Amino acid sequence: MNTIKRITLLFFAASLCTACFEDLDDNPVTSTDIKDFVYKGMNYAYLYKENKPDLANNRFSNDSDYASYLNGFESPESLFENLIYDRQNVDRFSWITNDYIALEESFNGIRKSTGLEFDFYFEPGSTTNVFGIIKLVLNNSPAENQNLQRGQIFTAVDGVALTENNINSLFSGDTYTLNLANYNDNNTPDEDSDDTIEATSETVTLNKVAFTENPVYKTEILEVNNQNVGYLMYNGFTADFNNQLNNAFATLQSNNVQNLVLDLRYNPGGSVNTATLLGSMITGQFNGETFAKLIYNDDLQSSNTEYRFTDSFDGNSINSLNLQKVYILTTNASASASEMVINSLKAYSQIEVVQIGVETRGKSQASITIYDSPDFKRSGANPLHTYAMQPLVAKTVNKLDVSVPNEGLTPDIILKETPNNYGILGNANEPLLAAALQHILENGRYVQPRINNFNKLNTKVDYQPFENGMYID
């Protein structure tokens, strides 16, 4: 078989040499057709192509050899997974979907949701009993309409007690009922060994609806030592809401904030371009300089790209704060584009980044949606199926060529959210925000509080496939 030609039009305006792989079937789409698309797309764009011998340009000697290889896989998904490099340690984030319509909606902030996000823990002293806690109530959602609050806990769903293994199934339907409970610290707030979870008779029933989330969650102006401190909670780098993000910075700018606390604790990532805009809004003094770089596989080196700080987008002037210091709140849910902002700003000595919380997710790679079309773009996609891939195609580095480590970014001030300290977001007494305000008030001095060792589960409910993703617009 002929070698696949290298074609390097910027942002994958590519036309893969179809002579390299003859169409296997001109009849209605088959599993083999989709596997053919999967292989071609991964061979062209995958970041770790050089690490996978099966993706080598000279892997197959003829069409028959290639067809036999494809037929050796039960499904497009199994072929895709076989082409992933070191799933456990390196590429934890590439994925494939059979419904790119839902994928596109998710990138636009549209999803089916009640508007709640949860954390789950084992009850104090137990390795079997589980309780959930509401960590976020989205604005204008069914959950907000039910007056649910961050920090409320529950021990059962639809009357079924939570366990480590049944959480996802209990939340799989479009309607569910939370059986609420109380957290009793027995008047020893600094200890968790004698804390108890007490069930109540109170229930709340919620229905999932098609919901568009505005990621600009909350903007507050706080006065600390006669100076204005801005607080912004931002929950996703969604390009459709760039104007709302810029408007939030207009509010911060008009209040002459001298410090900014940027809350990215639940921000799983999103648009690389939006991350660049956010960096430009925080600063302003680096216009035209390098924000971040994207590095592609060896076949696509001419597509390597620099994103630069800017003072405008889509004809709009950016509302920049020109700050010399920014506080950023993080958890393990802070990923990809969130980490990109931190990593990119840290490359500049003219601005100090103070990270507060726990280690971030650890993802420095960007992805792109690959469709079954001649140039892998949405236009011309095969109308007979809705498969698409979201593989990692580039790694991101800052202007010093430093990437985010796999273990995530380590905070300057380590502070966990625990069930007995889920404060009100944006309130000066909320522990992570309070730590930033103390750091400002004490001019860099901070007293580390005792951290309780609650046993947290890694379970996620209503997981969105694009979460922890950084995608190229």
Side-chain angles (χ1 to χ4, degrees):
M1 172 178 299
N2 295 330
T3 298
I4 295 179
K5 294 180 179 178
R6 297 181 179 182
I7 302 174
T8 57
L9 295 180
L10 190 61
F11 291 120
F12 304 98
S15 178
L16 193 67
C17 178
T18 55
C20 302
F21 297 102
E22 294 178 1
D23 288 339
L24 300 178
D25 195 344
D26 291 330
N27 295 321
V29 70
T30 66
S31 176
T32 301
D33 295 327
I34 299 172
K35 286 183 281 187
D36 178 47
F37 148 64
V38 169
Y39 185 87
K40 287 179 179 179
M42 292 292 281
N43 172 274
Y44 175 69
Y46 189 43
L47 175 61
Y48 299 107
K49 175 179 178 176
E50 289 72 30
N51 301 99
K52 295 295 296 185
D54 275 356
L55 288 175
N57 290 341
N58 60 356
R59 168 66 174 81
F60 305 106
S61 57
N62 53 57
D63 289 348
S64 177
D65 189 17
Y66 173 61
S68 177
Y69 172 81
L70 295 185
N71 290 330
F73 294 93
E74 182 179 358
S75 65
E77 289 84 357
S78 61
L79 170 60
F80 179 83
E81 198 60 36
N82 182 69
L83 297 174
I84 296 299
Y85 174 61
D86 195 356
R87 174 60 90 183
Q88 296 303 314
N89 301 301
V90 179
D91 184 357
R92 296 170 287 160
F93 303 103
S94 293
W95 46 274
I96 186 171
T97 179
N98 63 4
D99 184 3
Y100 61 66
I101 304 300
L103 169 65
E104 292 165 347
E105 290 179 345
S106 69
F107 283 145
N108 292 327
I110 303 170
R111 55 175 167 147
K112 204 168 187 180
S113 173
T114 64
L116 287 180
E117 295 186 14
F118 307 105
D119 281 333
F120 297 92
Y121 296 85
F122 285 111
E123 293 186 14
S126 175
T127 58
T128 56
N129 297 335
V130 173
F131 70 97
I133 185 166
I134 296 172
K135 69 178 183 181
L136 188 65
V137 182
L138 298 180
N139 297 326
N140 304 311
S141 67
E144 185 183 54
N145 293 337
Q146 293 268 35
N147 295 316
L148 288 169
Q149 303 293 322
R150 168 177 159 88
Q152 287 183 283
I153 66 172
F154 56 97
T155 54
V157 175
D158 296 328
V160 179
L162 295 171
T163 70
E164 186 176 6
N165 299 316
N166 70 1
I167 294 173
N168 278 301
S169 63
L170 291 177
F171 286 94
S172 62
D174 285 343
T175 300
Y176 59 78
T177 298
L178 298 180
N179 299 94
L180 299 180
N182 291 325
Y183 189 100
N184 187 348
D185 64 10
N186 289 298
N187 295 316
T188 55
D190 292 331
E191 299 292 337
D192 57 88
S193 59
D194 65 346
D195 294 356
T196 56
I197 307 298
E198 301 170 351
T200 71
S201 60
E202 186 179 359
T203 62
V204 178
T205 299
L206 295 153
N207 297 304
K208 295 179 183 178
V209 299
F211 179 72
T212 302
E213 179 186 355
N214 179 353
V216 184
Y217 182 79
K218 180 174 283 190
T219 307
E220 298 283 353
I221 306 297
L222 305 169
E223 186 177 329
V224 178
N225 199 22
N226 296 317
Q227 61 176 305
N228 284 344
V229 176
Y231 170 85
L232 172 64
M233 186 169 201
Y234 184 55
N235 291 334
F237 292 81
T238 310
D240 282 358
F241 289 89
N242 287 344
N243 284 323
Q244 287 83 345
L245 179 60
N246 199 36
N247 291 339
F249 273 83
T251 299
L252 299 171
Q253 188 184 68
S254 65
N255 282 276
N256 192 31
V257 299
Q258 287 87 53
N259 286 281
L260 172 66
V261 181
L262 176 63
D263 196 339
L264 301 179
R265 73 181 77 187
Y266 305 139
N267 191 320
S271 162
V272 174
N273 183 62
T274 300
T276 307
L277 297 180
L278 176 58
S280 302
M281 294 171 193
I282 295 168
T283 59
Q285 62 269 46
F286 307 129
N287 189 40
E289 297 188 49
T290 299
F291 176 74
K293 307 174 192 177
L294 296 185
I295 312 297
Y296 295 88
N297 69 30
D298 287 351
D299 284 356
L300 295 173
Q301 289 295 294
S302 65
S303 292
N304 289 352
T305 310
E306 285 196 9
Y307 283 78
R308 296 181 177 274
F309 290 96
T310 181
D311 59 4
S312 65
F313 70 97
D314 298 336
N316 302 302
S317 295
I318 281 182
N319 298 307
S320 298
L321 300 182
N322 291 285
L323 294 176
Q324 280 74 53
K325 179 183 284 188
V326 61
Y327 293 83
I328 301 182
L329 311 183
T330 66
T331 66
N332 188 249
S334 310
S336 63
S338 289
E339 296 171 298
M340 181 185 191
V341 170
I342 299 169
N343 189 50
S344 294
L345 292 179
K346 281 188 172 182
Y348 286 85
S349 60
Q350 300 96 321
I351 183 168
E352 180 183 358
V353 179
V354 181
Q355 183 184 343
I356 299 173
V358 297
E359 292 82 0
T360 59
R361 185 72 175 87
K363 181 180 182 294
S364 61
Q365 309 98 329
S367 67
I368 194 168
T369 308
I370 294 181
Y371 298 90
D372 186 5
S373 69
D375 62 359
F376 303 121
K377 289 188 173 184
R378 179 66 164 84
S379 177
N382 189 333
L384 300 178
H385 70 85
T386 55
Y387 269 87
M389 298 182 292
Q390 197 74 27
L392 301 181
V393 299
K395 68 176 182 179
T396 66
V397 297
N398 63 23
K399 77 160 187 172
L400 302 177
D401 296 322
V402 175
S403 61
V404 173
N406 288 338
E407 60 272 20
L409 296 166
T410 301
D412 302 283
I413 297 172
I414 296 175
L415 188 59
K416 293 182 180 179
E417 290 186 317
T418 58
N420 57 0
N421 78 354
Y422 277 57
I424 299 171
L425 295 168
N427 184 287
N429 294 318
E430 189 278 315
L432 270 65
L433 175 54
L437 298 180
Q438 181 185 345
H439 197 275
I440 294 169
L441 184 62
E442 300 293 335
N443 195 27
R445 290 187 294 274
Y446 177 74
V447 178
Q448 178 70 52
R450 178 185 181 276
I451 299 176
N452 293 338
N453 293 314
F454 287 87
N455 193 353
K456 186 177 180 180
L457 282 68
N458 292 322
T459 308
K460 286 182 64 69
V461 172
D462 291 340
Y463 178 80
Q464 301 299 309
F466 72 95
E467 290 191 9
N468 303 321
M470 177 162 49
Y471 60 85
I472 304 164
D473 303 76

